[in-house]
Amino acid sequence: DQTLLRLIGDYRASGKDFSLPVWRQRSPLIPEQVVELAIADASGIITHSSNAANVDGAAADLESLAYHAAGTGNTSFVGRLITNSDSSLSLKVTRPIRDDAGKLLGQAIASILPESLSHFYQSIDVGRAGFVSVVGLDGVARARAPLVAPLINAGTVENPALLAANGRAEGCYPSVSRIDSIERLVCFRKVTGLPLLVNVGLAKDEVLAGYFAARWRYLGAAAAITLIMVLMTLWLMWRERRLVNATRA
């Protein structure tokens, strides 16, 4: 998102002399997940691109253009995954380009491979059966780690995360996966300023593994102490009986 803000600022300052390939070469802070940057005009035609082959082509993500045209804000839009000409999938993140009066002039577009996001989220330790996902408020998953192809770019408005997040910015809920039938505790948080939820799911068995291990240790210790007390009680009773018998004799 910060890359798009810098791109828009430099584009407006440079005017007709702007060259996106040159700009990208001079911008070392662009995240490695971004595979292409582009600028489209208000009709959806790409006028600048870090990939020269895409210049003057129709913008693939007209959904985002309609989103920006419907308002006057400068918020980002994260669309659904789009199939590229080489059959690969890419995630489009866009920001509007407006004039000083707020009129929409076009949009800046960053293309991200969903696999790169999945690899990034895999650096987060969520256990062997856990997951991290980014889900839109439309119910469609944008990224997931570990990557499960049927769950990317698929979903419905009945997504459990959306039902749980209804009216809340964060929370947790139990869930049983339709893919592997594992029961998990899923926690979510809405992304400020974006129609997205970040979900972290941890397998119930792994979450409670420490508790069960400690419980068995405590139960074992309690059983051992109880056994010692019972044996001591029996020994004392036996000793008392011998003393009574010795006294009577």
Side-chain angles (χ1 to χ4, degrees), residues 26-64:
R26 295 177 179 176
S27 302
L29 299 179
I30 297 177
E32 61 180 9
Q33 291 85 2
V34 178
V35 295
E36 182 181 356
L37 291 167
I39 292 176
D41 62 20
S43 63
I45 301 300
I46 295 178
T47 57
H48 298 79
S49 175
S50 57
N51 181 359
N54 290 334
V55 177
D56 294 329
D61 190 11
L62 297 180
E63 180 186 9
S64 62

Side-chain angles (χ1 to χ4, degrees), residues 216-232:
W216 284 115
R217 288 197 300 269
Y218 295 148
L219 289 176
I225 294 173
T226 301
L227 179 60
I228 292 173
M229 293 180 65
V230 169
L231 292 175
M232 289 185 63

